[in-house]
Amino acid sequence: QVQLVESGGGLVQAGGSLRLSCAASGSIFSINAMGWYRQAPGKQRERVAAITRGGSTNYADSVKGRFTISRNNAKNTVYLQMNSLKPEDTAVYYCNAVVSPVVAYYWGQGTQVTVSS
Protein backbone atom coordinates (compact mmCIF):
# COMPACT_ATOMS: atom_id res chain seq x y z
CA GLN A 1 0.00 0.00 0.00
CA VAL A 2 1.11 3.51 -0.83
CA GLN A 3 -0.37 6.67 0.64
CA LEU A 4 -0.10 9.97 -1.20
CA VAL A 5 -0.79 13.38 0.30
CA GLU A 6 -0.85 16.46 -1.92
CA SER A 7 -0.46 20.06 -0.89
CA GLY A 8 0.19 23.44 -2.45
CA GLY A 9 -2.93 24.21 -4.43
CA GLY A 10 -4.71 27.52 -4.29
CA LEU A 11 -5.90 30.57 -6.15
CA VAL A 12 -3.49 32.49 -8.36
CA GLN A 13 -3.77 35.10 -11.09
CA ALA A 14 -2.94 34.28 -14.68
CA GLY A 15 0.80 34.42 -15.22
CA GLY A 16 1.51 33.43 -11.65
CA SER A 17 3.16 30.34 -10.18
CA LEU A 18 2.34 27.56 -7.77
CA ARG A 19 4.24 24.54 -6.53
CA LEU A 20 2.42 21.33 -5.71
CA SER A 21 3.91 18.69 -3.43
CA CYS A 22 3.07 15.01 -3.09
CA ALA A 23 4.45 13.10 -0.14
CA ALA A 24 4.49 9.31 -0.43
CA SER A 25 4.49 6.86 2.45
CA GLY A 26 4.01 3.14 2.93
CA SER A 27 5.55 0.73 0.42
CA ILE A 28 7.58 3.40 -1.33
CA PHE A 29 10.22 0.91 -2.44
CA SER A 30 7.65 -0.51 -4.87
CA ILE A 31 7.02 2.79 -6.67
CA ASN A 32 8.17 2.77 -10.31
CA ALA A 33 6.87 6.14 -11.39
CA MET A 34 4.91 9.07 -10.06
CA GLY A 35 2.96 11.70 -11.82
CA TRP A 36 0.44 14.49 -11.72
CA TYR A 37 -2.97 14.38 -13.33
CA ARG A 38 -5.69 16.98 -13.44
CA GLN A 39 -9.40 17.04 -13.93
CA ALA A 40 -11.38 20.14 -14.83
CA PRO A 41 -15.17 20.30 -14.40
CA GLY A 42 -16.91 18.36 -17.13
CA LYS A 43 -13.67 16.99 -18.54
CA GLN A 44 -11.80 13.71 -18.31
CA ARG A 45 -8.79 13.34 -16.07
CA GLU A 46 -5.60 13.94 -18.03
CA ARG A 47 -1.96 13.29 -17.30
CA VAL A 48 0.07 16.45 -16.83
CA ALA A 49 3.56 15.17 -16.04
CA ALA A 50 5.34 12.04 -14.86
CA ILE A 51 8.74 11.04 -13.54
CA THR A 52 10.16 7.54 -13.42
CA ARG A 53 12.35 5.96 -10.78
CA GLY A 54 15.27 6.57 -13.12
CA GLY A 55 14.46 10.26 -13.35
CA SER A 56 13.00 10.38 -16.85
CA THR A 57 10.23 12.90 -17.26
CA ASN A 58 7.46 13.57 -19.71
CA TYR A 59 4.85 16.27 -20.02
CA ALA A 60 1.56 16.96 -21.69
CA ASP A 61 1.99 19.26 -24.68
CA SER A 62 -0.23 21.84 -23.01
CA VAL A 63 2.22 22.35 -20.13
CA LYS A 64 5.62 21.84 -21.77
CA GLY A 65 7.93 24.73 -21.02
CA ARG A 66 5.73 25.95 -18.15
CA PHE A 67 5.57 23.04 -15.68
CA THR A 68 8.44 21.07 -14.18
CA ILE A 69 8.15 17.80 -12.30
CA SER A 70 10.90 16.87 -9.86
CA ARG A 71 11.45 14.70 -6.83
CA ASN A 72 13.33 14.56 -3.57
CA ASN A 73 14.10 10.92 -2.86
CA ALA A 74 15.22 11.63 0.69
CA LYS A 75 11.80 13.10 1.46
CA ASN A 76 9.84 10.68 -0.75
CA THR A 77 8.22 13.72 -2.28
CA VAL A 78 7.40 14.72 -5.85
CA TYR A 79 6.85 18.32 -6.86
CA LEU A 80 5.12 20.08 -9.71
CA GLN A 81 6.37 23.60 -10.30
CA MET A 82 3.79 25.46 -12.36
CA ASN A 83 4.76 28.75 -13.96
CA SER A 84 2.98 31.07 -16.37
CA LEU A 85 -0.34 29.67 -15.24
CA LYS A 86 -3.36 30.10 -17.46
CA PRO A 87 -7.08 30.01 -16.64
CA GLU A 88 -7.30 26.73 -18.55
CA ASP A 89 -4.95 25.18 -15.99
CA THR A 90 -7.77 25.41 -13.46
CA ALA A 91 -8.53 21.90 -12.21
CA VAL A 92 -8.22 19.50 -9.34
CA TYR A 93 -4.69 18.11 -9.46
CA TYR A 94 -4.07 14.54 -8.37
CA CYS A 95 -0.82 12.81 -7.50
CA ASN A 96 -0.42 9.29 -8.86
CA ALA A 97 1.98 6.44 -8.13
CA VAL A 98 2.50 3.26 -10.13
CA VAL A 99 3.94 0.27 -8.28
CA SER A 100 5.28 -3.13 -9.23
CA PRO A 101 5.82 -6.05 -9.58
CA VAL A 102 2.06 -6.44 -9.30
CA VAL A 103 1.06 -3.29 -11.13
CA ALA A 104 -1.24 -1.06 -9.13
CA TYR A 105 -2.14 2.60 -9.17
CA TYR A 106 -2.52 4.85 -6.17
CA TRP A 107 -4.04 8.32 -6.01
CA GLY A 108 -3.92 11.24 -3.66
CA GLN A 109 -7.01 13.09 -2.52
CA GLY A 110 -6.51 15.96 -4.97
CA THR A 111 -5.74 19.63 -4.54
CA GLN A 112 -7.62 22.47 -6.22
CA VAL A 113 -5.77 24.89 -8.47
CA THR A 114 -7.71 27.93 -9.65
CA VAL A 115 -6.23 30.45 -12.06
CA SER A 116 -8.12 33.70 -12.43
CA SER A 117 -7.96 35.81 -15.57
Side-chain angles (χ1 to χ4, degrees):
Q1 293 285 334
V2 173
Q3 294 78 44
L4 303 172
V5 178
E6 302 115 331
S7 61
L11 173 64
V12 65
Q13 289 187 332
S17 298
L18 283 174
R19 188 177 81 155
L20 305 182
S21 300
C22 174
S25 60
S27 301
I28 56 175
F29 58 88
S30 65
I31 296 175
N32 271 344
M34 294 185 70
W36 289 94
Y37 286 68
R38 67 186 180 186
Q39 188 166 19
K43 295 187 177 181
Q44 289 189 330
R45 189 172 297 189
E46 62 173 352
R47 188 168 72 174
V48 174
I51 185 166
T52 67
R53 180 185 292 175
S56 298
T57 59
N58 63 73
Y59 299 91
D61 288 343
S62 59
V63 306
K64 282 181 181 177
R66 300 188 298 122
F67 291 10
T68 302
I69 189 169
S70 62
R71 66 184 190 187
N72 183 323
N73 289 334
K75 295 184 177 181
N76 300 317
T77 300
V78 171
Y79 305 96
L80 185 68
Q81 178 67 44
M82 305 185 293
N83 299 327
S84 303
L85 283 161
K86 305 175 181 180
E88 51 263 43
D89 294 318
T90 295
V92 178
Y93 284 69
Y94 297 90
C95 181
N96 167 267
V98 183
V99 305
S100 66
V102 178
V103 176
Y105 301 86
Y106 293 91
W107 296 92
Q109 80 283 0
T111 185
Q112 176 71 46
V113 171
T114 302
V115 184
S116 63
S117 58

